[in-house]
Structure formats: structure tokens, C-alpha cells
Amino acid sequence: MKLFASAAEMRPVPRSEGFRNGGVSYWYREEGTPERRASLQGDAEYDVCVVGAGFTGLWTAYYLAEADPGLRVAVVEREFAGHGAAGRGAGLVTAHFPGPREELARRRGKGAVIALQRALMAAVDEVVAVAEKEDLDTGAVKGGMRTTATNTAQKERLTAEVAWLQEWGFWPEDLYVDGDGRAYTPHAADLDPVRLARGLAEAVERGGVEVFEGTPVTAVAPGGADGPAAVTPFGTVRARTLILATEGFPAPGAEAWPTESCAMIATEPLEEGLWEEIGWDGREMRADAAHRPAFARRTPDGRLAVGGRGALPRGGAQGEAGTAPPQAIAELWRALAGMFPEAADVPIAHAWTGPVGAPADRAPVLTLDRETGVGVAGGYGRFGMALSNVVGRTLRDTVLERRTELVRLPWSDLEGTKSPRLRRIGRQVARGLYRGADKRETSRLTGTSRLATVAERLSPKGTAE
């Protein structure tokens, strides 16, 4: 039993005078949320209608317009491009794959899972390349991801985790442990996610796609004689193919999956001397090797942004406003203090949350029913930047009936999104146990806590992040 709290646990979270909680996210702090594009004006017909102007919807529209300029494509968005998970994340483009690889391998074969992992690595380069090609001012830097163990148990797990991942598509040159016991992968980049979302919306418009903002979809009708339809207060959109890419904000009438809110914090800008003391030029991203890992990046204006912990059930945070609960802010600050003790006194300037899709099996979802003409995509958890790009290209090939490697990747279906009550409870209990395991392992010199072993039984590897 732990008798004494750590220094970080006893200290109040340092906050700046201008501390802000919510307001969508830090990425909107300076420029504010954009003016909405025009709403839909009356009934309309298209070849493809995408509901949701997040990364999945925008990448899908982008690649469809690029592949077939004659295709009539529309994007319908309730708020504005980048309002949802796209504008609330950390801007980390990583090859991380959520979900239990073993289960997908049983369904589709290990080779298919490895192919998906390799596709995610390539997607990191693809996202950066498109940003450069379209002249999007995202500040993209591909510096890789370095994971550092902060205690004995983490060191043991990190070495084992790297060896395990090298059996699932990360070859030794893609992920390895260096001489200091830190894991590194070059397949990661960071950028400004809001500028990417805004830039992609402008790029798809240049490609002939119509983007309607401030247009909520109030009902979804499956395919009939005239194809599926998205009903809005301003008119009905009919299309041969209707893609639902709303993730944490499902359209009424569409099948919804479980969501959770993920929190983040950003500090005030650090002085250059403090960055030098930390020993980090900011080009690479950082993470720890906890059961519930935290990740950090250096923002273009010199702040530390930390996320990863503090995930809550959908009802645990204000998903629309982006308000982070005090306990999530405190947990993230403790992670920051543990990873960068030199920066523990830097005030927190901004905190926020965003809802993300969290399927029961944690495997990304992509389906397109040819009979109804309705497709659904999402469910990436915290790791949607590269996944959404792969999904967008896969939907392009699926809609255009191309026989490519992408359409053979092992995506999950809607059945995998369903989460029985007992399974949801088990996952929540597992999170609490992992939290306790991380605390115990910080204060001891032995291996993995038994709490983590119990948590693993309640929620298999990859499903409780």
C-alpha cells in the first residue's frame, strides 16, 4: 500500500493568468474559429456525399476528386471543417495501430494485419507530401517518435513491446531500442491539425468538391430508387454513395458507436534555455512507456503539449465545448512533470478535450453496403491522423470499384463497434487498474505491477488505451 503521495501529486497544477479551458482546442487560441462556409441551399444530387468534414471526410473527398475530376462530390458538415476530433488532437501523425492485432489476424490473417501496419507507415509520408504539394502551412516536421521508460517495469515492457511489434510489421529499421534503452521509430510527424483541416477543405474545393458548413444532418435514409439520402434543415442530399464520417458526432438515424473524450494540455511558451536544459530540439515527439502512455510534442510557438492520459467516457467531459475536467488536467500535468521535471513549473495555458470513436474491439471501422449505398468509417481512438488518410484512399478505391491492396486491408465492421455493458464496465475498471499500476511502478524497483495483470484479463492488449 502506498503511504505517501509523490511531490507532483501534492502540488497544485500551475496555471497562467490567462488559462483557458475549452474553446474547441489550443489550435484555435490565436486565430479563433473560422467563419462557416455557406449552408446547403435546397435539395441536391451528387455521385458521392460525405457527411462530416473531419480528416476521414476530407481525405475521402480529396482523393475522389483527384482520381475522377468528373465525379460530383459534396461534403456536408454540421459546424465547420476541423470542428471535431480533427481540430482537437495533438497533431501527431503516427503509424500506431489501435486494436488487438491477434484478433484481426484470426479473422483475416496475419499478413493482412502486417500490410495494414505497413500502409500506416507509408501514410505518415503521404500526409506530409500532400501538405507540401497543396502548399498547406501546417508546419509539418517528420522527426519520428522516441519512447522513454521512466522506471524498471517500463524498461522491461518497452524492450518486450518492441520485439513484439517487430513481428507485426515494424521491421528492425522501423522501430528499435537505442543504446540508452529508448525506443525510436522514424515513422511519425507532427503538424498543426487545424491548418491541415482548413487547407484540405480548400484543396477539395479547388478540385471541384462542394463543401457545405453549418448544415446538420437530421436523418439518414438508406438507398431506394433514388439512392441514399442525407436530410438537413435546408434540403435533402441524394447520392449514389453516402459516406458517414462523423465519428464522435454521429448523425441522427445513423448507427452510433461508443465514444470517449480525450484530454490535452499546453503550457506557456518555454524559454530557449529551458529547452536546452531538457535536451530536446523538438523535432521528434516524445512518449513514456506507461500502461496508459502519455505523449508530448513541441508546438511551433515553443509550448509543451501533452496528451494521452485522462481519457474519459463520453459523459465525463463537455465534448462540444471541449472543456477538460480538473482530474484530467491534473493527470496530464503529472505526466508532464514526470517526463520533463525541468518544465514542471511552467504554467499550463490551455486545456481541452475532444470526443473520438471508441469501438468495442478498438479496430478501425470501414464498411460500404452496396445495397443501401451507405458507407461508415472511423473509430480510430487517439490515432486518427494517419489512419484517416489510409481510410480516405481505401474509400476512394472502394467507391470506384478498384481492386487494390488497400481494399483488402483488414478493416473491422459495424459489429465490432458494439460494446456490451459488461465489456464497457470491464474496460473502465481496467483503466483504473492500469492507473494504479503506473503509480505503483513509479515508486518501486521491481517489474510490472500485478494490477496490470488483472487489467489485461479484463481488457485484452490494445483495447483499453
Side-chain angles (χ1 to χ4, degrees), residues 61-318:
Y62 177 84
Y63 288 114
L64 280 170
E66 180 185 59
D68 185 353
L71 207 63
R72 298 171 301 156
V73 181
V75 177
V76 178
E77 165 59 44
R78 191 187 74 179
E79 301 291 344
F80 51 84
H83 170 264
R88 302 174 193 239
L92 305 186
V93 191
T94 75
H96 184 94
F97 173 67
R101 291 170 172 81
E102 292 93 342
E103 177 59 30
L104 283 179
R106 280 194 289 270
R107 298 182 204 168
R108 300 287 300 277
K110 186 172 182 177
V113 178
I114 290 174
L116 178 53
Q117 182 64 76
R118 304 301 296 179
L120 283 168
M121 294 178 193
V124 175
D125 293 316
E126 174 70 6
V127 171
V128 174
V130 172
E132 293 176 353
K133 172 186 174 184
E134 298 294 342
D135 197 25
L136 309 183
D137 183 22
T138 65
V141 174
K142 186 187 177 189
M145 172 77 82
R146 191 171 300 280
T147 302
T148 302
T150 59
N151 56 55
T152 302
Q154 287 188 16
K155 289 178 181 177
E156 293 176 358
R157 282 200 308 275
L158 185 59
T159 301
E161 181 81 3
V162 168
W164 181 75
L165 286 172
Q166 287 176 347
E167 298 178 4
W168 291 92
F170 279 98
W171 309 148
E173 66 270 20
D174 301 307
L175 178 65
Y176 55 87
V177 177
D178 64 20
D180 295 322
R182 300 174 300 178
Y184 178 77
T185 175
H187 300 292
D190 61 35
L191 48 74
D192 185 320
V194 166
R195 291 186 179 182
L196 178 62
R198 290 180 180 180
L200 280 177
E202 293 169 359
V204 300
E205 287 181 312
R206 291 194 296 271
V209 175
E210 293 191 73
V211 180
F212 301 105
E213 295 181 331
T215 305
V217 171
T218 57
V220 173
D226 299 321
V231 181
T232 83
F234 312 112
T236 297
V237 180
R238 290 202 172 274
R240 288 187 301 170
T241 303
L242 181 67
I243 304 295
L244 304 177
T246 56
E247 261 247 322
F249 300 97
E255 185 158 1
W257 47 36
T259 61
E260 65 183 24
S261 291
C262 295
M264 284 203 67
I265 58 172
T267 68
E268 291 288 355
L270 277 63
E271 295 180 358
E272 194 58 40
L274 185 52
W275 283 113
E276 292 176 2
E277 185 179 347
I278 292 172
W280 185 18
D281 63 9
R283 293 190 62 84
E284 65 186 23
M285 288 162 282
R286 296 287 185 89
D288 66 16
H291 294 287
R292 301 171 66 248
F295 54 80
R297 62 164 294 187
R298 179 175 177 172
T299 66
D301 59 352
R303 303 170 190 263
L304 256 175
V306 179
R309 298 213 251 283
L312 295 162
R314 181 67 170 88
Q318 300 299 316

Side-chain angles (χ1 to χ4, degrees), residues 437-452:
D438 284 330
K439 288 182 178 179
R440 288 190 178 188
E441 291 169 6
T442 299
S443 60
R444 54 199 278 186
L445 299 177
T446 55
T448 295
S449 167
R450 292 181 181 179
L451 292 178

Side-chain angles (χ1 to χ4, degrees), residues 248-408:
F249 300 97
E255 185 158 1
W257 47 36
T259 61
E260 65 183 24
S261 291
C262 295
M264 284 203 67
I265 58 172
T267 68
E268 291 288 355
L270 277 63
E271 295 180 358
E272 194 58 40
L274 185 52
W275 283 113
E276 292 176 2
E277 185 179 347
I278 292 172
W280 185 18
D281 63 9
R283 293 190 62 84
E284 65 186 23
M285 288 162 282
R286 296 287 185 89
D288 66 16
H291 294 287
R292 301 171 66 248
F295 54 80
R297 62 164 294 187
R298 179 175 177 172
T299 66
D301 59 352
R303 303 170 190 263
L304 256 175
V306 179
R309 298 213 251 283
L312 295 162
R314 181 67 170 88
Q318 300 299 316
E320 297 286 344
T323 306
Q327 66 269 27
I329 297 172
E331 190 171 2
L332 288 171
W333 175 75
R334 286 194 293 269
L336 181 156
M339 295 170 71
F340 310 102
E342 303 90 344
D345 293 325
V346 179
I348 305 302
H350 204 132
W352 69 97
T353 62
V356 297
D361 62 0
R362 286 306 206 231
V365 173
L366 191 160
T367 65
L368 177 56
D369 189 322
R370 293 294 182 185
E371 291 186 9
T372 65
V374 177
V376 179
Y380 318 129
R382 302 190 307 268
F383 306 100
M385 299 278 304
L387 267 166
S388 61
N389 179 271
V390 178
V391 168
R393 287 182 282 128
T394 303
L395 280 169
R396 170 201 62 196
D397 293 348
T398 304
V399 170
L400 298 178
E401 300 186 8
R402 294 177 169 179
R403 298 176 64 86
T404 66
E405 293 295 324
L406 288 172
V407 300
R408 290 189 282 272

